[in-house]
Structure formats: C-alpha cells, structure tokens
Amino acid sequence: MANQYPPGLPPDPFADDPSDPAGVLDSVEPGVPLDLAERMAVEEDLADLAVYESLLAPKGVRGLVVMCDDCNEDHYHDWDMLRANLQQLLADGTVRPHEPAVDPRPEDYVTWDYCRGYADGQSRR
C-alpha cells in the first residue's frame, strides 16, 4: 500500500512490502475522530509548534522533551516528528508507533512550558 498519510508525514519505508513488520498493526482498532474541541486544541498545538520551532530551532533546539506517563521516562521528539504526530491525530484520531530519538542529547530539547515562556518573552520585547 502506498503512503496514505497527509503530506508532510514521513513516507512508509515498507510501502507495498508483503513482509512489512508493521502488518500486525493492521489489526489495531482504528482511531476515533476528534470532536470539535479536540480538533481545535490540536490545531492550536500545531500553530504553537510552528512558532516555537521558528524561534528555537535557529538556537540549536531540536525539539521537545515529554515525560511519558506510561513508562515515567523522558521521550525526545524532533520538530518534524511532533508535527507529523499532530497532523496524523487530526487526520484519523491516532498516533502510530514511531522510533524514539537515537541517543538524544537532552540539552538539545526543551519542554512545552519552556517554549511557551520563551515565546511569551519574545512577544514582550
């Protein structure tokens, strides 16, 4: 199957491969479409993400760090992965499994709260 995701998401490296290891995920329940309030929240996150990336990427920040509620560990997400996850959430109500950052440098990532504060500080200049 060709890449069925919206533009901007990474292509499926196993598209049309009958031995695709992700084939087991086909049996996963489909996502539930977001309601209007959830859609608006995700769209706001996408808009915020664009601002944060434009302000922080030139300073060497690679993306965001998020504490995972399931494993209680930090997860490092590059800007492109975050954008792709949010776009997919809008498209079909799911976020597919993805590869974690390989050997991330924690000092290259910041939290959503840091981004909000930084953007707020920049807007007050």
Side-chain angles (χ1 to χ4, degrees):
M1 157 174 22
N3 189 11
Q4 76 274 16
Y5 301 114
L9 294 178
D12 181 353
F14 293 99
D16 301 319
D17 182 346
S19 61
D20 181 352
V24 297
L25 297 175
D26 291 338
S27 62
V28 174
E29 292 293 319
V32 176
L34 303 179
D35 64 32
L36 183 58
E38 291 168 327
R39 287 190 71 75
M40 288 175 57
V42 172
E43 288 168 352
E44 287 174 12
D45 284 348
L46 274 168
D48 289 345
L49 185 66
V51 170
Y52 303 157
E53 181 179 11
S54 71
L55 291 171
L56 294 166
K59 297 189 177 307
V61 176
R62 295 197 53 192
L64 298 180
V65 58
V66 178
M67 172 60 80
C68 177
D69 292 334
D70 293 332
C71 69
N72 288 326
E73 292 186 20
D74 287 337
H75 288 211
Y76 300 90
H77 302 280
D78 289 345
W79 302 115
D80 290 338
M81 181 189 297
L82 286 164
R83 187 173 19 270
N85 285 349
L86 291 169
Q87 289 171 336
Q88 186 174 0
L89 195 55
L90 282 175
D92 65 14
T94 64
V95 175
R96 300 273 180 176
H98 55 271
E99 291 294 321
V102 177
D103 198 21
R105 291 173 18 125
E107 61 271 18
D108 291 342
Y109 296 84
V110 295
T111 64
W112 277 100
D113 287 339
Y114 178 92
C115 290
R116 284 186 193 103
Y118 189 87
D120 184 52
Q122 292 297 304
S123 70
R124 294 178 189 265
R125 293 178 121 190

